[in-house]
């Protein structure tokens, strides 16, 4: 019985993982677009004020069960990876 | 013009952040439920085979732009936080 319950919960978890995967990649595409616009303007890709604002929004909207600090840590990893992606794009552009 | 473009893209990004926040917390709730079922069965909360399976699914389904290794790193952070959440629940249960 417990195994059936766990299997069902894991199925839900797999669906959420799929959605997360799609959403994180969709986010990355938008970050790439922002990077391209910024590049044409000679703007700096890293914007600490904007990053702070996104972290504050997590704090405002979080209803748990995760602690805000935990979520902010996860999002910081996503931000870092996104910045690296923009830098890769930039390097590739320089090599063209 | 570039600023208008960036503002629009940032609006999209904020929506995705909101959805990510909800989804990560929804995931945490399911992990808590799994933890509770496992507890009644005296099962170990950490299951490396299951974790490997979820990481492999990311590798199978990833269509970019993020590299699979980047996504796996982000998901590992989510897994780690989820395990800590189950451990907190367990500690709280012991204190009751």
């Amino acid at each position: 019985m417990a195994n059936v319950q766990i299997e069902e919960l894991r199925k839900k978890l797999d669906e959420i993982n799929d959605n997360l995967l799609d959403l994180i990649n969709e986010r990355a595409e938008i970050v790439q677009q922002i990077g391209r616009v910024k590049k044409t303007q000679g703007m700096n890709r890293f914007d600490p004020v904007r990053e702070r604002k996104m972290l504050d929004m997590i704090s405002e909207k979080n209803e748990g069960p995760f602690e805000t600090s935990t979520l902010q840590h996860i999002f910081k990893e996503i931000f870092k990876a996104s910045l690296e992606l923009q830098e890769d794009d930039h390097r590739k552009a320089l090599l063209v």
Side-chain angles (χ1 to χ4, degrees), chain A:
Chain A
M1 185 53 208
N3 280 343
V4 175
Q5 264 181 296
I6 288 180
E7 275 318 302
E8 271 173 26
L9 290 167
R10 283 184 166 174
K11 227 178 270 175
K12 278 193 205 172
L13 211 60
D14 286 341
E15 276 170 35
I16 291 184
N17 286 346
D18 285 354
N19 291 340
L20 275 175
L21 178 65
D22 289 343
L23 215 49
I24 292 172
N25 270 329
E26 198 185 319
R27 192 186 186 287
E29 278 172 31
I30 294 175
V31 168
Q32 282 182 314
Q33 290 177 42
I34 293 176
R36 283 192 280 267
V37 178
K38 282 187 168 182
K39 193 173 159 273
T40 62
Q41 303 294 308
M43 288 160 78
N44 201 332
R45 278 179 295 277
F46 178 56
D47 182 346
V49 176
R50 168 69 179 155
E51 188 167 309
R52 187 66 258 164
K53 214 170 154 185
M54 290 193 286
L55 293 173
D56 287 346
M57 265 160 47
I58 293 166
S59 157
E60 280 165 31
K61 294 188 177 173
N62 179 31
E63 294 179 351
F66 271 135
E67 300 281 344
T68 293
S69 59
T70 304
L71 291 163
Q72 287 175 333
H73 172 75
I74 293 168
F75 271 85
K76 275 184 199 168
E77 291 294 326
I78 297 175
F79 298 163
K80 205 177 77 185
S82 304
L83 199 64
E84 282 164 6
L85 196 70
Q86 286 184 330
E87 277 160 11
D88 282 350
D89 282 352
H90 188 58
R91 256 195 302 276
K92 275 177 202 154
L94 289 177
L95 290 171
V96 169

